[in-house]
């Protein structure tokens, strides 16, 4: 009975958050308290202890450091330079938008931040060059998603933390996260290539002018920020990769055991402040607090679900009612449907990732394949106007007429294209790897 109450609470939190526009995490915290203390008999301290403190610290520390590149204009200047390089090949503009968004997101801007300043630029370029709104919207959305999935960026860190909290070893979680990143870069490239070269897009843009002027050079503050960001990314990646290559090396093992991306980011934040790379108050304000509350609040409610046995019950049902070969695909479909109306980071992955280890173990599947299918499915529909990506794209429209036209294109063309691409990829991944 408790499990059904928990499931109802998760659905209610999502529905209430969507309806009232109040952070889903706040509803999740309230439900976690009411169910944990008054239904399951837990103490308030036990419920508070379910707040995912380590995940909160890592996301906060990393976002704080990366916010300096946002505050001092480094990432915006980088996007201007990258788009300028594509001025003579207008039909390749979707690739330029995709890789620009991906690079900036991978360097720490995060999905929402990249869309916030790349979406208006993309829509403006669509108007100037006759580029399809669908191709432009999917390019910037896919790029922001794929880049943010990089193992040292915001989404990649969240995925790793969720896997570790679900019982996956740190090293395996790192490999799984890299698999998610690689997959969410391959799918968009395939989709964009089909849209550019097989739909008449190239012909319609021939001779178009991007009208992108030569951007000004990076100032000293921005150059320092860029190099500091690259250095931190290198440090975060080198230790686990060295340990994977040299598993018997005592030195590599020792160094890797002392590496923590949250603590490293904290040190680099202090360095950034000492070098005066940005205002501390503005950097703090740039931290995505609402995303943090949503992820951690839902994490508390999921912990209640685990304590109540809901996760094990759901895993058992899936394991006995769905053919083994179709389990990854089923997860992808469920994730895609959930993501139509909710956040991949705040709702879909916190809800589905904890189920994966037990199902994979019982059915003899590679957990990485299921993790990839979940993220690919969830991110396929993030372009929906009811989800985060689509709503940000609509918000960037210059007027109501443009917004109305883009709404139907995102819902009836972009989202279905994304779903079909993700499902095809999931089928190929399941049956051939």
């Amino acid at each position: 009975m408790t499990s059904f109450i928990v499931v109802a609470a998760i659905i209610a939190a999502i529905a209430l958050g969507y309806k009232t526009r109040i952070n889903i995490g706040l509803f999740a915290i309230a439900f976690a308290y009411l169910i944990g203390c008054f239904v399951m008999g837990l103490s308030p301290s036990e419920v508070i202890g379910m707040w995912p403190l380590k995940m909160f610290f890592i996301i906060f520390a990393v976002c704080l450091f990366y916010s300096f590149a946002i505050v001092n204009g480094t990432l915006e200047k980088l996007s201007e330079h990258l788009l300028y390089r594509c001025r003579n090949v207008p039909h390749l503009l979707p690739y330029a938008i995709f890789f620009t968004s991906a690079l900036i997101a991978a360097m720490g801007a995060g999905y929402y931040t990249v869309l916030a300043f790349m979406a208006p630029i993309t829509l403006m370029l669509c108007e100037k060059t006759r580029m399809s709104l669908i191709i432009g919207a999917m390019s910037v959305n896919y790029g922001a998603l794929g880049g943010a999935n990089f193992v040292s960026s915001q989404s990649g860190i969240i995925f790793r933390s969720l896997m570790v909290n679900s019982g996956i070893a740190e090293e395996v979680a790192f490999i799984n996260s890299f698999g998610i990143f690689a997959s969410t870069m391959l799918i968009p490239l395939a989709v964009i290539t089909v849209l550019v070269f097989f739909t008449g897009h190239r012909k319609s843009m021939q001779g178009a002018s991007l009208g992108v002027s030569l951007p000004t050079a990076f100032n000293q503050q921005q150059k320092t920020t860029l190099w500091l960001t690259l250095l931190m990314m290198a440090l975060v990646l080198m230790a686990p990769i060295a340990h994977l290559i040299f598993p018997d090396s005592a030195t590599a093992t020792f160094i890797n055991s002392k590496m923590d991306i949250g603590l490293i980011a904290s040190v680099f934040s202090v360095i950034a402040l000492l070098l005066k790379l940005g205002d501390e108050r503005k950097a703090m304000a740039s931290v995505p607090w609402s995303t943090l509350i949503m992820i951690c609040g839902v994490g508390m409610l999921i912990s209640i679900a685990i304590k109540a046995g809901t996760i094990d019950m759901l895993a058992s049902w899936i394991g006995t009612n769905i053919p083994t070969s179709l389990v990854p695909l089923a997860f992808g479909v469920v994730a895609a449907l959930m993501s139509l109306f909710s956040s991949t980071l705040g709702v879909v992955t916190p809800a589905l990732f904890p189920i994966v280890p037990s199902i994979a173990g019982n059915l003899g599947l590679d957990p990485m394949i299921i993790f990839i299918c979940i993220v690919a499915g969830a991110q396929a529909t993030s372009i929906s106007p009811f989800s985060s990506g689509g709503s940000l794209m609509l918000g960037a429209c210059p007027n109501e007429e443009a917004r109305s036209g883009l709404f139907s294109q995102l819902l009836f063309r972009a989202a279905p294209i994304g779903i079909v691409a993700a499902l095809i990829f999931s089928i190929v991944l399941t049956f051939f790897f």
Side-chain angles (χ1 to χ4, degrees):
M1 182 61 182
T2 304
S3 292
F4 290 106
I5 294 175
V6 174
V7 171
I10 294 172
I11 296 172
I14 296 171
L16 288 169
Y18 176 73
K19 181 69 175 177
T20 64
R21 299 298 178 187
I22 296 172
N23 195 307
I24 293 172
L26 297 175
F27 287 112
I29 293 170
F31 284 129
Y33 167 56
L34 294 174
I35 296 172
C37 290
F38 298 102
V39 177
M40 297 174 59
L42 301 176
S43 68
S45 297
E46 288 178 298
V47 174
I48 294 172
M50 291 178 178
W51 177 269
L53 184 60
K54 183 177 180 180
M55 186 189 302
F56 176 88
F57 172 74
I58 290 174
I59 299 171
F60 161 73
V62 171
C63 289
L64 177 62
F65 169 69
Y66 283 140
S67 66
F68 288 98
I70 300 169
V71 168
N72 63 27
T74 300
L75 296 181
E76 187 173 356
K77 184 61 63 68
L78 181 63
S79 69
E80 293 173 1
H81 278 272
L82 291 172
L83 286 174
Y84 180 74
R85 305 297 179 195
C86 192
R87 66 192 184 282
N88 295 324
V89 280
H91 65 280
L92 298 182
L93 182 59
Y95 292 100
I97 293 172
F98 171 75
F99 284 114
T100 299
S101 302
L103 179 60
I104 298 170
M107 293 185 68
Y111 173 61
Y112 300 102
T113 304
V114 172
L115 272 189
F117 72 81
M118 280 298 293
I121 296 173
T122 300
L123 293 179
M124 177 191 69
L125 290 173
C126 286
E127 183 179 352
K128 285 185 176 183
T129 64
R130 301 189 299 276
M131 179 172 64
S132 163
L133 284 173
I134 293 297
I135 297 178
M138 294 190 75
S139 296
V140 68
N141 187 66
Y142 266 143
L145 288 169
N149 291 343
F150 189 58
V151 290
S152 65
S153 195
Q154 188 182 122
S155 301
I157 291 167
I158 292 170
F159 296 150
R160 284 170 62 188
S161 299
L162 288 171
M163 289 180 209
V164 171
N165 289 347
S166 301
I168 303 292
E170 287 273 4
E171 289 182 14
V172 178
F174 177 84
I175 296 171
N176 291 346
S177 295
F178 197 85
I180 291 173
F181 167 70
S183 299
T184 52
M185 291 295 285
L186 286 173
I187 296 171
L189 286 174
V191 173
I192 293 171
T193 298
V194 170
L195 292 176
V196 169
F197 292 100
F198 298 96
T199 63
H201 166 79
R202 179 177 181 177
K203 184 177 180 180
S204 68
M205 288 190 66
Q206 288 293 349
S209 173
L210 296 190
V212 180
S213 57
L214 175 65
T216 57
F218 289 93
N219 61 35
Q220 189 56 50
Q221 189 184 51
Q222 291 168 341
K223 288 179 182 177
T224 304
T225 303
L226 205 54
W227 283 112
L228 200 62
T229 302
L230 293 173
L231 178 60
M232 197 196 88
M233 291 173 69
L235 280 176
V236 168
L237 293 173
M238 284 170 60
I241 290 174
H243 184 57
L244 288 171
I245 297 173
F246 307 106
D248 298 325
S249 170
T251 302
T253 301
F254 174 77
I255 294 174
N256 187 55
S257 68
K258 301 301 180 183
M259 289 290 110
D260 181 90
I261 189 169
L263 295 173
I264 293 172
S266 298
V267 172
F268 272 73
S269 293
V270 173
I271 295 172
L273 287 169
L274 291 174
L275 293 175
K276 301 187 184 304
L277 299 183
D279 183 88
E280 180 183 353
R281 287 174 296 180
K282 290 182 179 178
M284 283 286 188
S286 295
V287 174
W289 295 108
S290 60
T291 302
L292 270 170
I293 292 170
M294 179 168 60
I295 292 167
C296 294
V298 173
M300 286 183 71
L301 190 53
I302 296 300
S303 294
I304 291 289
I306 293 171
K307 187 84 172 176
T310 309
I311 301 300
D312 290 335
M313 183 185 73
L314 185 57
S316 175
W317 184 88
I318 292 174
T320 55
N321 288 274
I322 298 177
T324 301
S325 59
L326 296 180
V327 167
L329 185 63
F331 269 101
V333 172
V334 170
L337 293 174
M338 290 177 67
S339 184
L340 276 171
F341 304 97
S342 59
S343 165
T344 298
L345 298 179
V347 177
V348 181
T349 50
L352 297 182
F353 271 28
I355 311 173
V356 174
S358 58
I359 287 182
N362 292 336
L363 300 179
L365 295 170
D366 184 346
M368 181 168 69
I369 293 177
I370 303 179
F371 285 131
I372 290 173
C373 289
I374 290 172
V375 176
Q379 295 189 342
T381 53
S382 67
I383 195 69
S384 157
F386 302 114
S387 196
S388 48
S391 60
L392 284 169
M393 289 300 302
L394 290 174
C397 288
N399 53 61
E400 189 59 39
E401 183 182 354
R403 190 173 295 112
S404 177
L406 184 59
F407 181 94
S408 59
Q409 291 193 62
L410 293 179
L411 183 61
F412 299 112
R413 292 186 61 193
I417 289 171
I419 292 173
V420 170
L423 294 183
I424 291 173
F425 182 83
S426 297
I427 292 170
V428 172
L429 190 68
T430 303
F431 290 99
F432 294 97
F433 292 93

